[in-house]
Amino acid sequence: MKNENLYNYILGIADNSLILGQRLGELTGHGPSLETDIACTNISLDLFGQVRSYFQYAAKIAGDDRTEDDIAMLRKERDYKNVLLVEQPNTNFAYTMARQFLFDVYHLAFLSELQKSTDLTLSAIANKCIKEVSYHERFSSDWIKRLGDGTEESKVKMQEAIDGLWTYTDELFHQTEADKAMVAEGIGVDVTKLKDAYYARVNEILEEATLEIPESKWFQKGGKEGIHTEHMGYLLAELQYMQRAYPNMEW
Amino acid sequence: MSKNWPLWEIFVRSKNGLEHRHFGSLHAADAEMALENARDVYTRRNEGVSIWVVESKNITASNPEHNGEMFEPAQDKVYRHPTFYDLPDEVKHM
Amino acid sequence: MSEEQIKNLEKQFEERIARDEKIEPKDWMPEKYRKTHIRQMSQHAHSEIIGMLPEGNWITRAPSLRRKVALLAKVQDEAGHGLYLYSACETLGVSRDELYEQLHSGKAKYSSIFNYPTITWADMGAIGWLVDGAAIINQVPLCNTSYGPYARAMIRVCKEESFHQRQGFEIMIKLANGTPEQKDMAQDALNRWWWPSLMMLGPTDAESIHTEQSMKWKLKRKSNDDLRQQFIDQTVPQAELIGLTIPDPDLKWNEERQSYDFGEINWDEFWQVVKGHGPMNKERMKARVNAWEEGEWVRDAAMAYAEKKQERKEKQVV
């Protein structure tokens, strides 16, 4: 492939939306209230919409006959490059919202930089997505505050979720080889530069939510290199089920 | 304990130039949540450009039992309508 | 109020409905009208909410991204429809929580068809095509029902519902025109969903208890049997078009009636499922009760937060 770095770079971005969208999709019909259910499904739909834009572009770059669905559903686990954060399960609503919030703050900052990409397709996608993600970030940070500063019980649960997921935040700012190449070409975003603003914003919301900012300095990584947590295999088993069980068919 | 989320009435302006119209209701813990929920419940198909939310308990409604005294007195005030006035046919555009 | 006064009010009330006037929440209404409406609207709402589960079952496994977003949007719509209908119930002075309580305790009914399992992807097609098809036949006349909030909710529901059936039929077309394995999958789904879909239009007129009153109040415009005939007559040609076979050996065009004759429906099975002995009754209820119970701390927290915020605001003003 001529543009292998760009291809991998796009997949790195899109996989985050794909896996998070899939996680949120699991919740449809099981939310804490009808209204919240509808809201979470909306976020899932936004993310899958983004995924399709990215993968359609990636398929074009690949230049062979692969489709968005081949890319989404027919890779091996090691070839998915999403961060570990987004594959973490819906342990309870606090985890779901904490995962969303910790990703949204990053996602928003990332897209606002990606808008400046010299790759016009990517900057156009970023331009469209940023409106959706601004909303996600407001929605999830509102819930962090509600649950953090709600009841005794919700505070404990939200703190547990933040503590549990904190270890996956640092990976958001790791650079892959494709990242470096794309930054050099003015196409990609230098994620290392997003880190300070990220923690500033996250901490601001946590404080407002009367939550403790975790002190742990030990962080997990690997997703961007395709080394995932054990949750990932099961998620992919569902995502890929039809394409694997009935190969080469149209749906 | 369990205190239920109160009911809110949702008004949506479909596009600029039109008034906000009552679209329905939903439950939310506070006004911000009511706005967010209204956005997701009532404007998923591009139905709106502006949303008002009002907690249902804050609406004062007229009582249909008083409809006679409330609304019927307006029925015979035909002089409030242009058709009440006779004009010669030659007068146009009035 | 004296008995005579009530009789008089009832007479006026029935006349209003006969004149096609709408009844609004604060209007005087016979207690039976109120109760019947709460029952029918809440059953309808419950059906939407329970109906999310069999389809939600395939969201994570949808075979393509295009199918996945369509299915997500469809199941989300069902949540919305449930919400519109619960809201319509609330105008009659019963809260959503009370209605949930009735559902969770098994007191309230919902459409039995959702007690069947969705075991293949083709079931998503069959549900959209047949179950939504039957639902639309039931629902369109309700856009004109006598109770204003119900009619308004139904107008919104029907408008949104129109993509659901197309979505399902498109899935079936694709399968029917696909590989032999896909075609088998489609036929198998049709075999399993056909009869429950016919049952969905309700017991035969002879056994239906509410019909006459419901007709008067425009809660029903046609009898169950008429609706069923309409559904069969419109669906059979659709099946033929895509080369699938309706699983009824007695199905035959009747030239004289200009309608299809069809075989005996297994009403025994219908009543068993209604009574809770369908394959998925327990699982469906468990899923709803779990969602509600596990959501309690979330709803409480949001309420507590809203109250704190309100207090802080009031203090600032002082």
Side-chain angles (χ1 to χ4, degrees):
Chain A
M1 203 188 303
K2 211 173 73 197
N3 267 322
E4 192 144 9
N5 274 330
L6 178 58
Y7 179 83
N8 286 331
Y9 184 68
I10 297 169
L11 263 50
I13 303 171
D15 282 348
N16 287 335
S17 295
L18 174 70
I19 302 304
L20 186 56
Q22 178 79 357
R23 276 289 183 231
L24 286 169
E26 292 171 8
L27 287 174
T28 303
H30 307 277
S33 79
L34 265 185
E35 286 83 354
T36 329
D37 205 305
I38 292 171
C40 289
T41 306
N42 247 11
I43 297 178
S44 176
L45 277 168
D46 285 345
L47 292 169
F48 281 120
Q50 299 172 7
V51 168
R52 296 188 69 193
S53 307
Y54 287 125
F55 283 169
Q56 282 164 13
Y57 182 38
K60 218 167 91 190
I61 290 167
D64 45 24
D65 56 0
R66 78 185 77 179
T67 65
E68 56 173 17
D69 293 322
D70 297 337
I71 302 175
M73 296 173 180
L74 286 175
R75 280 177 286 155
K76 301 283 190 293
E77 179 172 333
R78 287 286 268 109
D79 297 327
Y80 285 84
K81 298 298 161 69
N82 57 281
V83 292
L84 299 175
L85 174 66
V86 294
E87 71 200 45
Q88 298 311 306
N90 298 308
T91 307
N92 61 31
F93 193 70
Y95 271 86
T96 300
M97 282 301 113
R99 183 185 63 207
Q100 192 65 38
F101 168 67
L102 292 173
F103 181 70
D104 287 344
V105 175
Y106 160 81
H107 200 190
L108 186 57
F110 175 83
L111 288 174
S112 80
E113 288 304 309
L114 190 65
Q115 288 188 101
K116 301 173 199 157
S117 172
T118 55
D119 183 300
L120 294 181
T121 308
L122 280 183
S123 76
I125 296 175
N127 207 288
K128 177 182 170 288
C129 297
I130 199 160
K131 295 186 192 104
E132 297 168 346
V133 173
S134 304
Y135 185 80
H136 302 171
E137 199 247 11
R138 195 169 60 175
F139 179 83
S140 61
S141 52
D142 277 354
W143 272 105
I144 300 297
K145 291 184 242 170
R146 283 192 194 105
L147 299 180
D149 193 16
T151 61
E152 283 302 309
E153 184 186 5
S154 72
K155 190 194 202 68
V156 170
K157 286 199 158 83
M158 190 34 109
Q159 188 68 57
E160 251 174 44
I162 292 287
D163 291 347
L165 294 173
W166 196 254
T167 186
Y168 301 113
T169 52
D170 190 64
E171 190 194 4
L172 292 163
F173 310 102
H174 293 197
Q175 274 190 322
T176 62
E177 287 312 311
D179 275 10
K180 284 177 195 156
M182 287 301 103
V183 172
E185 287 186 42
I187 292 174
V189 175
D190 184 350
V191 289
T192 59
K193 289 189 179 148
L194 305 178
K195 191 170 173 175
D196 291 346
Y198 172 85
Y199 283 109
R201 170 72 180 154
V202 166
N203 293 354
E204 177 196 328
I205 297 292
L206 293 183
E207 268 167 31
E208 209 182 315
T210 69
L211 292 163
E212 306 277 335
I213 296 158
E215 280 169 13
S216 165
K217 293 275 182 276
W218 179 250
F219 294 103
Q220 301 297 328
K221 59 176 190 214
K224 286 186 175 182
E225 307 298 334
I227 303 169
H228 293 279
T229 55
E230 288 184 354
H231 304 297
M232 185 69 172
Y234 296 96
L235 182 148
L236 290 181
E238 288 188 29
L239 178 70
Q240 301 190 342
Y241 168 69
M242 288 298 291
Q243 292 279 349
R244 295 287 183 201
Y246 304 91
N248 302 318
M249 296 184 199
E250 280 182 34
W251 303 96
Chain B
M1 65 169 250
S2 257
K3 214 159 161 198
N4 301 321
W5 290 357
L7 195 65
W8 298 73
E9 300 302 322
I10 311 303
F11 300 82
V12 177
R13 185 202 297 286
S14 310
K15 61 179 188 192
N16 275 2
L18 296 179
E19 68 277 60
H20 285 79
R21 202 165 59 79
H22 184 236
F23 260 47
S25 54
L26 50 74
H27 289 270
D30 53 40
E32 285 76 32
M33 197 201 280
L35 270 178
E36 289 173 0
N37 292 346
R39 176 249 196 199
D40 290 333
V41 172
Y42 289 106
T43 66
R44 293 200 301 285
R45 287 180 170 79
N46 239 334
E47 293 98 331
V49 296
S50 162
I51 301 175
W52 290 346
V53 299
V54 184
E55 201 176 332
S56 308
K57 69 171 189 203
N58 292 328
I59 290 184
T60 310
S62 64
N63 184 341
E65 275 171 37
H66 303 154
N67 273 9
E69 62 208 62
M70 284 285 276
F71 305 114
E72 275 172 33
Q75 276 172 12
D76 66 351
K77 311 292 192 291
V78 285
Y79 44 79
R80 289 200 172 101
H81 300 279
T83 46
F84 176 74
Y85 300 93
D86 292 325
L87 292 183
D89 290 344
E90 294 80 44
V91 181
K92 297 207 167 104
H93 309 296
M94 188 181 280
Chain C
M1 237 182 287
S2 76
E3 218 169 285
E4 197 179 335
Q5 277 173 311
I6 292 179
K7 273 242 163 69
N8 201 16
L9 278 172
E10 275 176 10
K11 191 165 159 277
Q12 285 174 16
F13 180 84
E14 299 294 349
E15 283 166 1
R16 284 181 64 192
I17 293 181
R19 281 198 304 271
D20 256 340
E21 272 183 46
K22 297 285 186 224
I23 307 302
E24 293 296 342
K26 291 186 148 219
D27 292 351
W28 183 89
M29 60 185 76
E31 193 49 27
K32 197 172 164 212
Y33 182 89
R34 201 181 82 90
K35 283 211 171 112
T36 306
H37 274 77
I38 291 177
R39 194 188 59 232
Q40 177 162 334
M41 292 191 293
S42 65
Q43 274 184 17
H44 194 162
H46 297 327
S47 300
E48 296 281 356
I49 300 312
I50 298 279
M52 295 172 74
L53 299 169
E55 289 176 286
N57 185 34
W58 278 87
I59 286 172
T60 58
R61 290 178 291 169
S64 70
L65 292 173
R66 182 172 178 273
R67 293 288 175 216
K68 196 188 285 280
V69 291
L71 185 62
L72 266 167
K74 181 186 181 224
V75 180
Q76 183 191 43
D77 272 352
E78 280 153 15
H81 298 171
L83 193 151
Y84 306 152
L85 289 159
Y86 283 127
S87 297
C89 285
E90 288 185 88
T91 62
L92 292 176
V94 49
S95 73
R96 196 195 290 174
D97 299 67
E98 289 172 73
L99 297 170
Y100 275 163
E101 176 55 39
Q102 292 171 6
L103 175 67
H104 297 162
S105 67
K107 239 171 70 193
K109 296 271 176 280
Y110 57 86
S111 186
S112 269
I113 197 145
F114 302 119
N115 291 318
Y116 290 88
T118 51
I119 55 181
T120 71
W121 170 251
D123 291 4
M124 298 304 100
I127 289 183
W129 174 33
L130 302 174
V131 178
D132 288 299
I136 291 169
I137 283 184
N138 247 331
Q139 289 170 357
V140 167
L142 289 172
C143 295
N144 225 342
T145 190
S146 65
Y147 187 53
Y150 194 20
R152 290 192 287 275
M154 289 317 300
I155 288 171
R156 190 170 282 278
V157 167
C158 287
K159 218 156 106 194
E160 297 186 351
E161 194 94 3
S162 54
F163 102 78
H164 295 183
Q165 199 191 7
R166 281 164 169 254
Q167 179 267 162
F169 194 57
E170 197 196 76
I171 291 175
M172 293 306 262
I173 294 175
K174 202 81 183 172
L175 293 173
N177 294 329
T179 64
E181 204 177 1
Q182 284 176 305
K183 190 163 181 177
D184 286 349
M185 193 193 278
Q187 183 63 52
D188 168 61
L190 173 57
N191 293 349
R192 282 181 290 108
W193 291 95
W194 174 253
W195 292 103
S197 300
L198 297 190
M199 295 176 198
M200 199 183 146
L201 292 152
T204 49
D205 297 345
E207 287 193 50
S208 180
I209 25 175
H210 307 297
T211 302
E212 200 189 330
Q213 180 73 81
S214 298
M215 293 269 191
K216 240 169 62 197
W217 289 339
K218 300 176 186 175
L219 273 170
K220 224 171 183 6
R221 312 302 289 252
K222 281 185 183 174
S223 76
N224 292 347
D225 287 336
D226 286 348
L227 291 172
R228 193 162 14 248
Q229 188 70 59
Q230 184 188 339
F231 174 73
I232 292 170
D233 289 347
Q234 80 178 39
T235 311
V236 172
Q238 292 165 357
E240 281 169 1
L241 183 75
I242 57 174
L244 297 179
T245 312
I246 303 281
D248 178 359
D250 297 324
L251 188 80
K252 206 169 78 236
W253 177 250
N254 182 325
E255 193 56 40
E256 199 181 318
R257 287 201 307 123
Q258 287 292 303
S259 263
Y260 283 92
D261 293 335
F262 54 96
E264 193 80 36
I265 293 172
N266 183 352
W267 289 111
D268 207 30
E269 173 182 324
F270 174 76
W271 290 113
Q272 287 304 322
V273 179
V274 169
K275 281 181 195 138
H277 306 308
M280 297 297 284
N281 294 57
K282 289 202 180 71
E283 283 80 356
R284 298 288 183 247
M285 202 48 69
K286 204 171 119 199
R288 281 315 310 161
V289 171
N290 277 353
W292 187 243
E293 287 177 354
E294 281 165 21
E296 187 175 352
W297 69 269
V298 177
R299 297 189 302 272
D300 287 349
M303 225 31 237
Y305 177 75
E307 280 163 9
K308 278 189 211 174
K309 223 171 50 173
Q310 187 63 29
E311 272 170 37
R312 280 174 213 153
K313 220 178 178 176
E314 276 159 17
K315 263 188 205 147
Q316 267 177 2
V317 175
V318 178

